[in-house]
Amino acid sequence: MKDQLLMETITQRRSIRKYRNERFPMEELIALVEAARWAPSAGNSQPWEFLLVNDEDMVSGLKAVSPGWLKPAPALIVMCINKNRETNWSYIDVGAAMQNILLYAHSRGVGCCPIGSFAVETVKELLDMPLHLEPVLLMTVGYSEEKPTVIKHLSVDELIFKKVGK
C-alpha cells in the first residue's frame, strides 16, 4: 500500500507555473528544506544550502532576472552549492535534494517549479550571498491555481537499452 501511494505521488507530480495570489508561509518553506536535507549525497557531503524567500518585493526582483520564470509566484527556494562542501557530484546531489522537495511538496498540496535560467551574479548580488555559496537552481513555490494534465512519458520498454541477466 505504501509503495502504491509513493508511485501515485511520483506519477501525479507536475511542475506548477500558476499560483494562487496568496502568501506562502516561511514555516512551509522550512518543511520543504527538511525533506531536502535527507537526500543522498556523495560521501555524505551534503553540499547544498538554501535561501528561502517569501518577501513579495524580493521574489519580484528575482523573477525579473530569471528569463525561465514566466509567471508570478509567492515564494522561492534558492538552491545553492556550498563550495566548502563541494564534490564532483554536487550538482547530482542538489538534484536529489530538489526531487525530495518536489515530491514532498506535492504530497502536501504545494506546487513547485524548478527554474534553471537566471542571472547567477545578479541573484547573488540581490540576495547579498556570501562567496562560498553558488546558486544553481531556483524553485518557485506556492499553492497551485492550476491542475496540469498528465503529459506523455516514454514507456519503460523505450527506456531500457538492454537487460543483462534473468
Side-chain angles (χ1 to χ4, degrees), residues 114-131:
I115 308 291
S117 174
F118 59 94
V120 173
E121 293 305 317
T122 308
V123 167
K124 289 163 78 169
E125 197 175 301
L126 283 170
L127 292 169
D128 194 26
M129 293 175 64
L131 294 175

Side-chain angles (χ1 to χ4, degrees), residues 15-88:
S15 290
I16 301 300
R17 292 174 178 85
K18 189 173 182 185
Y19 301 97
R20 295 193 315 239
N21 185 16
E22 184 177 326
R23 190 170 188 283
F24 194 81
M26 186 60 68
E27 302 78 39
E28 286 291 319
L29 289 171
I30 293 168
L32 297 178
V33 172
E34 175 64 24
R37 80 181 189 97
W38 290 100
S41 62
N44 198 31
S45 59
Q46 302 173 54
W48 44 69
E49 220 164 292
F50 307 91
L51 281 87
L52 308 179
V53 183
N54 71 351
D55 176 83
E56 189 176 334
D57 291 335
M58 182 59 78
V59 170
S60 293
L62 292 165
K63 180 183 179 300
V65 298
S66 305
W69 179 356
L70 304 176
K71 296 184 180 181
L76 183 70
I77 297 174
V78 182
M79 299 184 73
C80 302
I81 290 175
N82 181 322
K83 294 178 186 177
N84 298 327
R85 297 191 301 263
E86 187 174 18
T87 71
N88 290 337

Side-chain angles (χ1 to χ4, degrees), residues 95-139:
M98 174 196 72
Q99 186 70 359
N100 278 15
I101 290 172
L102 292 172
L103 293 174
Y104 188 57
H106 179 75
S107 77
R108 293 171 66 91
V110 172
C112 297
C113 184
I115 308 291
S117 174
F118 59 94
V120 173
E121 293 305 317
T122 308
V123 167
K124 289 163 78 169
E125 197 175 301
L126 283 170
L127 292 169
D128 194 26
M129 293 175 64
L131 294 175
H132 70 282
L133 292 183
E134 187 68 23
V136 295
L137 190 69
L138 306 180
M139 189 176 306

